[in-house]
Amino acid sequence: EVQLVESGGGLIQPGGSLRLSCAASGFTVSSNYMSWVRQAPGKGLEWVSVIYSGGSTYYADSVKGRFTISRDNSKNTLYLQMNSLRAEDTAVYYCAKHDSSGWYFDYWGQGTLVTVSS
Amino acid sequence: NFMLTQPHSVSESPGKTVTISCTRSSGSIASNYVQWYQQRPGSSPTTVIYEDNQRPSGVPDRFSGSIDSSSNSASLTISGLKTEDEADYYCQSYDSSNHWVFGGGTKLTVL
């Protein structure tokens, strides 16, 4: 059974850093495309970043240069390092596994809330 | 880059049929597959339609998807509405520049 469990969210001051983790089970993270998707309170879904099975990474313009996606194959875990955080980064962050074609997200975690506020 | 535009909300009575649209701002709707996700309050999204019109196992056949090149839009149709269908629905597609795009979401009220 595929499971994705995010952790690492919390309250952080503007300009601060936070690292989110997504522990996966039931499949191999490094063999799949994996993304982070966020949802601001009361708002819609926003794609944030992807890491391809080959290791290439891409980012939404809103986070490029501040966020870094990575994975630890030995731990079967996905990460999102978030630096220079802003109030507008406040959201629930979901990790999501892509289907085998890569087109869409077939499994989602439960999400972890990041609140950026002084 | 393109945007996907959805109506903010739709409402319909139980047993009826509702259609939610998703219009692509530029480029052809047919150039990349469209997916639809259902998100109930307090829960993570789940896929109800993938690759324009395919249903994952476990999704009832009351849910169907289509695309219309003439209006450059995709549609999610839910027939025989049930109160449990009340949720937010998001369309999603792939931008060929290694980005994924979501529509703004549609709140479906079944009243």
Side-chain angles (χ1 to χ4, degrees):
Chain A
E1 180 192 5
V2 171
Q3 282 197 321
L4 298 166
V5 179
E6 299 96 334
S7 60
L11 175 63
I12 187 77
Q13 290 189 338
S17 297
L18 210 55
R19 188 178 82 157
L20 306 183
S21 301
C22 172
S25 58
F27 74 101
T28 303
V29 165
S30 61
S31 298
N32 291 270
Y33 294 4
M34 296 292 298
S35 275
W36 288 96
V37 177
R38 68 184 181 183
Q39 185 170 34
K43 302 296 184 181
L45 301 171
E46 180 189 15
W47 174 79
V48 172
S49 180
V50 66
I51 183 166
Y52 287 168
S53 49
S56 298
T57 59
Y58 297 92
Y59 301 90
D61 290 346
S62 57
V63 306
K64 194 179 302 182
R66 300 187 298 123
F67 289 13
T68 303
I69 190 171
S70 64
R71 66 192 182 206
D72 184 329
N73 297 344
S74 67
K75 295 181 178 180
N76 208 35
T77 297
L78 179 73
Y79 300 101
L80 186 68
Q81 176 68 43
M82 304 186 295
N83 299 330
S84 303
L85 282 162
R86 307 166 179 167
E88 55 265 35
D89 296 318
T90 294
V92 173
Y93 285 73
Y94 297 99
C95 71
K97 170 186 170 294
H98 290 239
D99 79 300
S100 58
S101 72
W103 293 118
Y104 72 100
F105 314 102
D106 58 359
Y107 290 93
W108 301 66
Q110 86 289 350
T112 187
L113 176 62
V114 173
T115 303
V116 184
S117 175
S118 55
Chain B
N1 287 13
F2 60 88
M3 295 191 302
L4 297 173
T5 301
Q6 301 179 233
H8 285 115
S9 63
V10 295
S11 61
E12 190 50 272
S13 303
K16 300 291 189 179
T17 297
V18 69
T19 297
I20 300 172
S21 63
C22 171
T23 302
R24 178 166 168 159
S25 62
S26 61
S28 170
I29 191 71
S31 59
N32 299 99
Y33 286 126
V34 174
Q35 281 65 232
W36 291 91
Y37 302 92
Q38 177 192 68
Q39 186 179 34
R40 295 191 173 105
S43 295
S44 304
T46 60
T47 309
V48 293
I49 294 290
Y50 68 97
E51 293 180 0
D52 296 340
N53 55 19
Q54 302 299 302
R55 272 189 318 277
S57 60
V59 174
D61 60 7
R62 301 185 296 105
F63 290 79
S64 63
S66 64
I67 63 167
D68 179 356
S69 295
S70 66
S71 59
N72 213 34
S73 65
S75 294
L76 171 69
T77 298
I78 310 171
S79 60
L81 275 170
K82 300 184 176 183
T83 55
E84 67 203 47
D85 299 330
E86 190 162 287
D88 293 327
Y89 291 85
Y90 295 89
C91 60
Q92 171 262 312
S93 190
Y94 170 70
D95 182 325
S96 302
S97 61
N98 298 294
H99 285 57
W100 278 258
V101 180
F102 287 96
T106 299
K107 180 177 179 61
L108 170 62
T109 301
V110 182
L111 35 66

